């Protein structure tokens, strides 16, 4: 067993990410992270300087997407893969979007806010590039910003609405299976919605 | 100008709903509502008994939907109207879903929680009835629960992700116009996704 404070930056990020999967962001504080990683709070401060900086580093780590690269191959296939990836990512870090929204979007310093803003603008650019690459061949016309909102919103809700969702399901529901089913449904629904049909 | 405490139950509900449109639910407290309505907090307690009961009464008031009645006429048309209605409703009360999720879903007493649960189960039943009425003629097969999550999630995000969304847009963006555009986009996307195409 590693000794106290024998944990590096990566270990602290992993501990924070683990907490963000299970408890609401507001309760993920530096003392709570320190306890999870079995280190002193001062070590967390030493590595990150502030709670905002720690949370931002976790968001950065989790959201290293493929979408930062221009889409390769068939744009419709790339869009389907991206939607599946978004649902998967949200499941991996269910409180991440809420964290960005409720805390980081209003965080000081401006550097943090700008970073979150930039990450989301990159995502909108990904949609724009993809729609342009298709050029109306397979995909219907769409505003990249609206597409971003719809995909992220629909992906996010199953996780972020957790307490509400769970109350609607039988007690013994297998949530992993449910999430797999939702992922498949959403990819199908949105791709069917975005693909031109014979009638278009 | 009406005198202090010259406000009834309806006036208090209207004041609470107005606050929920502009400030996060956590800040909508009984003293804040009393100040908004220009009454004493004790009058709010007199009418509602507790903050939970007040918030639930507002949710009840806002979510008196058409969907409680069985869909009339063409199921596909009813679905399109319902999606448009959901986006509109979320705009009218942007913090309402978050309120249900973050607070009421975990609220005591159980009566409140059961009421929220029931309202959402009714909504899922609406989708089930509608899909059954169509019988696979115009609409693709879909799990009513997944459809509920996707419609609500995509509708909710433009409002509930407010601080994040606003940071991504130019400062002088007309948010009403943007929301109108999103509503039209979402109805088109989801209906295209749900309608059978020639290829199905």
């Amino acid at each position: 067993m590693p000794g106290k404070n024998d944990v590096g930056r990566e270990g602290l990020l992993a501990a924070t990410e683990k907490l963000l999967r299970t408890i609401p962001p507001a309760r993920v504080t530096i003392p709570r992270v320190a306890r999870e990683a079995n280190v002193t709070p001062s070590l967390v401060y030493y590595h990150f300087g502030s709670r905002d900086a720690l949370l931002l580093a976790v968001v950065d780590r989790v959201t290293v997407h493929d979408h930062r690269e221009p889409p390769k191959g068939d744009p419709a296939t790339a869009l389907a893969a991206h939607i599946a990836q978004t649902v998967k990512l949200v499941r991996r870090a269910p409180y991440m979007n809420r964290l960005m929204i409720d805390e980081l979007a209003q965080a000081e310093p401006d550097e943090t806010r700008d970073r979150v803003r930039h990450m989301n603008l990159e995502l909108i650019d990904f949609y724009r590039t993809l729609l342009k690459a298709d050029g109306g061949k397979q995909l219907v016309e769409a505003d990249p910003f609206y597409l971003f909102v719809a995909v992220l919103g629909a992906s996010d809700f199953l996780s972020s609405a957790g307490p509400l969702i769970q109350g609607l399901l039988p007690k013994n529901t297998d949530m992993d299976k449910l999430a797999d089913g939702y992922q498949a449904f959403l990819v199908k629904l949105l791709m069917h919605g975005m693909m031109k049909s014979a009638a278009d």
Side-chain angles (χ1 to χ4, degrees), chain A residues 5-157:
Chain A
N5 281 352
D6 194 13
V7 173
R9 201 184 141 86
E10 268 304 305
L12 295 175
L13 289 173
T16 309
E17 197 193 319
K18 190 181 159 201
L19 286 176
L20 283 170
R21 272 201 298 273
T22 47
I23 64 175
R27 282 165 51 205
V28 180
T29 58
I30 286 193
R32 188 72 190 78
V33 169
R35 206 158 69 235
E36 179 70 27
N38 192 31
V39 300
T40 57
S42 59
L43 188 77
V44 187
Y45 281 108
Y46 168 78
H47 279 291
F48 296 97
S50 74
R51 177 172 174 271
D52 271 357
L54 169 64
L55 294 179
L56 181 65
V58 175
V59 172
D60 245 346
R61 187 176 185 253
V62 170
T63 54
V64 175
H65 289 307
D66 293 341
H67 66 72
R68 297 199 180 175
E69 294 169 28
K72 287 179 206 108
D74 179 40
T77 310
L79 180 60
H82 167 78
I83 296 171
Q85 162 94 354
T86 302
V87 185
K88 216 170 111 185
L89 193 73
V90 170
R91 276 175 70 191
R92 187 177 153 208
Y95 292 111
M96 208 59 77
N97 281 324
R98 274 302 120 194
L99 173 69
M100 290 208 284
I101 293 157
D102 296 337
E103 308 209 16
L104 293 179
Q106 303 168 68
E108 301 296 340
D110 285 350
E111 194 198 321
T112 307
R113 214 164 41 215
D114 284 351
R115 188 74 198 84
V116 168
R117 196 173 155 267
H118 186 69
M119 282 165 50
N120 284 286
L121 287 174
E122 274 182 334
L123 192 46
I124 298 167
D125 264 341
F126 170 81
Y127 289 115
R128 188 174 292 115
T129 308
L130 197 145
L131 288 161
K132 209 174 156 189
D134 178 69
K137 272 200 288 288
Q138 294 187 78
L139 301 171
V140 298
E141 251 183 77
D143 182 314
F145 176 75
Y146 290 153
L147 187 56
F148 158 81
V149 176
V151 172
L152 207 52
S155 301
D156 182 59
F157 203 67

Side-chain angles (χ1 to χ4, degrees), chain A residues 136-188:
Chain A
K137 272 200 288 288
Q138 294 187 78
L139 301 171
V140 298
E141 251 183 77
D143 182 314
F145 176 75
Y146 290 153
L147 187 56
F148 158 81
V149 176
V151 172
L152 207 52
S155 301
D156 182 59
F157 203 67
L158 188 68
S159 301
S160 79
L164 180 73
I165 298 285
Q166 276 160 33
L168 303 176
L169 299 164
K171 281 243 184 309
N172 57 352
T173 302
D174 180 337
M175 290 305 288
D176 279 338
K177 211 176 142 186
L178 184 91
D180 283 341
Y182 184 63
Q183 179 175 352
F185 168 81
L186 200 60
V187 172
K188 207 175 135 190

